[in-house]
Amino acid sequence: MTGTGIRHGEGLSPGAFAAAGVGSLALAAWASWSDLLLLVRGHVVPGWEVSGGLFVLALVLWWTFLRAAGRAEAARLVGTRAKWVSPVSAVLIGVGTLGIAWGAVGDLGARYYVLRPTGPGGCTAVVRETSFLMIGNGEAYAVGRTGLALGEAGAWVVDDGYRPVAGGTYELDWGRDGGLLLISGTSTDPVLRGGMTDIDCGW
């Protein structure tokens, strides 16, 4: 198929464009509620910023698919979309927007730390620490060559809002099979839950 055919939607049904548009929105909505993290040249991009970028891209793609269908196909697509695409798209946009907003609010006061040294193959441990009232929370992420972590590797809870990584009360040891992150509290601010995390980038 030539570029002209793609631009004008030749050979592609309105349903195909609708499915592609809804699919891109569904991916962005999923990302907005997932535990993503991106590391770019030592700088941590929080999950809600990553999903926000994906969501904007999904909206651009959705509009592009509508335009690519051409006027005749777009006119036919409107009738089909009114039955299921519009409600589904509206739900996905709402879910994605809420997920991004929830992530941004939850990240208020959070601090991210890129721990050194790195492990074999450039595997990197990244930590996110927050505190609320009398509780401190932390999550560790294993970031490989792609710079993307799809979920946390481990989490912990510390008494009295203490932040162990910020306070330097942690150890990171690397071996052939990965790393081990040990979180320690203090005599007055002990670790209540967790504190030992395997850092495995999936070699």
Side-chain angles (χ1 to χ4, degrees):
M1 181 179 293
T2 64
T4 303
I6 294 175
R7 284 197 302 270
H8 295 289
E10 296 175 3
L12 295 177
S13 68
F17 286 107
V22 171
S24 61
L25 288 178
L27 177 61
W30 168 83
S32 71
W33 287 97
S34 61
D35 205 5
L36 296 174
L37 182 143
L38 183 64
L39 184 63
V40 181
R41 295 184 178 180
H43 176 69
V44 178
V45 182
W48 65 271
E49 292 187 11
V50 176
S51 57
L54 290 175
F55 196 68
V56 171
L57 178 60
L59 292 176
V60 172
L61 287 175
W62 171 247
W63 176 247
T64 300
F65 286 133
L66 292 181
R67 292 291 301 272
R71 291 186 178 182
E73 285 80 2
R76 293 165 50 197
L77 180 59
V78 169
T80 303
R81 187 178 56 182
K83 296 180 180 179
W84 65 277
V85 178
S86 288
V88 171
S89 299
V91 170
L92 291 175
I93 291 173
V95 169
T97 301
L98 182 60
I100 295 168
W102 182 268
V105 171
D107 222 31
L108 293 175
R111 294 291 183 271
Y112 290 86
Y113 303 90
V114 180
L115 306 187
R116 302 300 183 193
T118 58
C123 186
T124 304
V126 176
V127 169
R128 174 182 181 271
E129 287 190 320
T130 60
S131 60
F132 181 72
L133 297 178
M134 303 300 289
I135 294 295
N137 294 280
E139 299 94 34
Y141 298 82
V143 182
R145 293 186 180 90
T146 63
L148 182 66
L150 298 178
E152 65 181 40
W156 56 87
V157 177
V158 185
D159 193 21
D160 203 23
Y162 181 63
R163 302 189 184 198
V165 173
T169 55
Y170 72 92
E171 293 182 13
L172 176 60
D173 297 313
W174 292 100
R176 290 185 176 180
D177 298 327
L180 181 63
L181 177 63
L182 296 174
I183 299 297
S184 303
T186 66
S187 58
T188 56
D189 305 318
V191 176
L192 302 177
R193 177 166 54 85
M196 182 181 295
T197 300
D198 291 322
I199 306 299
D200 184 2
C201 290
W203 301 306

